[in-house]
Amino acid sequence: LLGPNGGGKTTLFRILSTHLKPQSGEVCLFGLNASYQAPEIRNRIGVVFQRPSLDPKLTVHENLIHHGLFYGQRGKVLGERAEAVARRLGIQDRSKDLVETLSGGLQRRVELAKALLPEPGLLIFDEPSTGLDPGARRMLWDDLEKLRRDQGVTIILTTHFLEEAERCDRIGILASGRMIATGKPSDLKREVGGDVIVVQTREPEEVASSIRTDLNLESEIVDGQVRITSDRA
């Protein structure tokens, strides 16, 4: 989900996570109505908020155990599941570390591990890359793509980063509380306009002429560079 601040992303996020009831219309997840079947839905979704929801004074393992208790998980089953999600996300070696000692990227992984404890079919993720450096952001996205590919988890996320949106299967653009466009990233880009190819050359006039003659493409020269607009660069 993309859109400007105030476009409705957070409100939709709260409705999908059953935190807020829609004022009109219907929202269904897994064929369940979010207005009056919220408990059943909550057992099948994982939610990661934009703001951290970890207890910094507890260890990674303790955070996972306490979160599992909210889902009615107990004893040996809960312990094994907590170890499994920690191992899946590569944080098993930090299980005994206090959360406050972890980097931002590792804390985000713990948040994701919490959300995966109920083995959700749907993961709702608000601004997954907030506060992460580029390396941690790449690792987190690798985790998300692996979840989608290997376990079939559907992921709905909000983001302000266009390069992240391009990695999604579908994009929804929200503005003023309305979904104004949906589709594959490539389709939406073609609707908005063509790609721009920039050619740096010492002979811009000659290159532009050759492009027109040999490729039948229009081009323009801007600041000594040849620019070509194409639907499919």
Side-chain angles (χ1 to χ4, degrees):
L1 299 173
L2 287 169
N5 291 331
K9 298 191 301 296
T10 299
T11 300
L12 178 57
F13 179 88
R14 293 173 69 189
I15 291 173
L16 293 175
S17 61
T18 73
H19 182 64
L20 184 69
K21 288 186 177 182
Q23 293 178 322
S24 61
E26 287 187 340
V27 174
C28 292
L29 292 87
F30 309 104
L32 302 171
N33 192 299
S35 294
Y36 54 85
Q37 293 177 290
E40 294 94 325
I41 290 174
R42 288 175 193 148
N43 283 327
R44 300 178 65 178
I45 64 174
V47 181
V48 182
F49 299 99
Q50 182 177 351
R51 293 183 178 180
S53 59
L54 301 172
D55 190 323
K57 297 299 181 182
L58 296 181
T59 66
V60 170
H61 184 71
E62 288 168 341
N63 268 277
L64 295 178
I65 293 297
H66 279 282
H67 189 71
L69 293 174
F70 287 123
Y71 284 90
Q73 300 171 3
R74 296 286 187 275
K76 182 180 179 181
V77 173
L78 173 56
E80 290 176 347
R81 189 170 293 182
E83 290 178 9
V85 294
R87 187 165 53 252
R88 187 186 307 166
L89 294 173
I91 55 174
Q92 71 273 22
D93 293 339
R94 311 300 295 270
S95 292
K96 296 181 180 180
D97 293 355
L98 295 178
V99 164
E100 64 184 359
T101 67
L102 303 180
S103 66
L106 284 174
Q107 288 188 21
R108 212 64 174 138
R109 283 190 166 201
V110 178
E111 295 265 17
L112 181 54
K114 280 177 52 181
L116 295 179
L117 270 176
E119 298 182 339
L122 173 67
L123 178 63
I124 304 172
F125 214 144
D126 195 14
E127 300 282 352
S129 298
T130 298
L132 299 185
D133 60 55
R137 187 186 305 168
R138 278 195 303 274
M139 292 178 67
L140 179 61
W141 269 88
D142 289 343
D143 293 335
L144 295 179
E145 291 190 338
K146 188 174 182 180
L147 282 173
R148 176 182 61 177
R149 182 182 66 248
D150 298 345
Q151 302 191 33
V153 177
T154 296
I155 302 169
I156 298 178
L157 58 90
T158 62
T159 182
H160 287 298
F161 295 102
L162 296 180
E163 67 271 18
E164 291 184 350
E166 283 193 284
R167 299 178 71 165
C168 298
D169 296 318
R170 289 176 60 81
I171 293 175
I173 300 177
L174 282 167
S176 301
R178 293 182 176 275
M179 191 80 75
I180 60 173
T182 59
K184 296 180 180 179
S186 56
D187 293 340
L188 290 178
K189 285 197 294 184
R190 279 198 293 271
E191 289 179 17
V192 172
D195 299 321
V196 177
I197 304 168
V198 179
V199 182
Q200 295 181 333
T201 173
R202 294 173 181 168
E203 304 290 343
E205 297 286 353
E206 183 178 337
V207 170
S209 176
S210 295
I211 288 171
R212 279 193 298 271
T213 303
D214 299 337
L215 301 177
N216 197 28
L217 291 173
E218 291 300 320
S219 62
E220 59 180 347
I221 299 173
V222 180
D223 296 330
Q225 298 174 330
V226 181
R227 295 197 175 194
I228 312 158
T229 301
S230 173
D231 288 338
R232 299 181 65 183

